[in-house]
Amino acid sequence: MQIRLVDPLLEALRLITSGDLYVWNVILRSLQISGSALLLAMVIGLPIGIAVGLTRFRLRLPVVAVINAGLAFPPVVVGLGVFLLLSRAGPLGDLQLLYTPAAMIGAQAILAGPYIAAVSLAAVENIPPDIALQARALGASRRQAILLQLREVRTSLVAAVAAGFGAIISEVGAVMMVGGNILGETRVMTTAIVLETRRGNFDVAIAMGIVLMLIALCVNALLLLLGRRSIRRGLVA
């Protein structure tokens, strides 16, 4: 039994270190799709979270409730919604985006957006109101006061982005549904792991899993590094 477990692991390490074309194409495509989705989710989620956190308006509580509800969106349901929109009978069927990287990016952005918006909103809500008042009293403009407030929670904003990335890099249901797991086009690490495990290619599945874990560790290490640098700058300032 030990030999059966060790051999696929050694072969997985060989696939990674030797630059296996299939493995690394899937890895790079995963990073490209998830990175694009994260950028799109940031462009949408961060402004929404920051704006709702800094302002007070009549329908604020329902808006906050909707944003927080987005954290519980089942990925398969999101995939189903995007599938129906992009299918031939759907309202966006003429675009022919189903089973393309663009469809996967859209589905992942919908999943990551609520995480980024909710975490950034919570961070901005916890900013002491005295900061803005003091800044305005010292002659700062409204824009400068807002930038000062955001500086206080920059580590939390990075955490919001990391939360969004974690929500999409390991997702399989939605991307499988709208991407189709097509070799050379829409196959990413998570869908490849499922497929290769079913085929009995455990060495390839393990290789993908190792890289996926390393990516998660690198993102968390980067977050920790940015957090420490932010704290040090705050102490120096």
Side-chain angles (χ1 to χ4, degrees), residues 34-213:
S34 296
S36 300
L38 181 65
L39 181 61
L40 179 59
M42 286 173 55
V43 171
I44 299 174
L46 278 178
I48 292 176
I50 293 172
V52 175
L54 288 177
T55 58
R56 298 294 182 269
F57 51 93
R58 191 172 186 179
L59 298 177
R60 186 175 184 277
L61 288 180
V63 171
V64 172
V66 171
I67 293 175
N68 291 332
L71 299 175
F73 282 168
V76 175
V77 176
V78 172
L80 176 61
V82 176
F83 180 91
L84 294 176
L85 285 174
L86 300 180
S87 64
R88 289 184 179 181
L92 302 180
D94 292 339
L95 298 177
Q96 298 183 350
L97 294 177
L98 193 61
Y99 302 135
T100 66
M104 300 170 68
I105 291 171
Q108 289 189 343
I110 293 173
L111 290 171
Y115 281 87
I116 296 176
V119 176
S120 59
L121 189 158
V124 172
E125 277 186 329
N126 291 326
I127 299 176
D130 295 343
I131 294 177
L133 295 176
Q134 292 175 2
R136 296 301 296 272
L138 293 174
S141 64
R142 178 176 173 79
R143 177 176 176 274
Q144 291 173 329
I146 292 176
L147 291 177
L148 180 62
Q149 288 177 292
L150 296 181
R151 181 182 177 185
E152 294 297 318
V153 294
R154 56 188 179 274
T155 303
S156 297
L157 297 180
V158 174
V161 175
F165 183 75
I168 59 178
I169 191 62
S170 59
E171 202 286 317
V172 60
V175 295
M176 179 79 80
M177 188 173 295
V178 303
N181 197 24
I182 302 173
L183 178 62
E185 295 184 21
T186 60
R187 184 168 299 174
V188 292
M189 284 185 287
T190 52
T191 58
I193 290 173
V194 174
L195 177 64
E196 300 301 339
T197 300
R198 290 176 177 173
R199 289 177 172 177
N201 298 329
F202 300 112
D203 51 349
V204 178
I206 293 173
M208 303 285 185
I210 291 173
V211 174
L212 193 59
M213 292 298 296

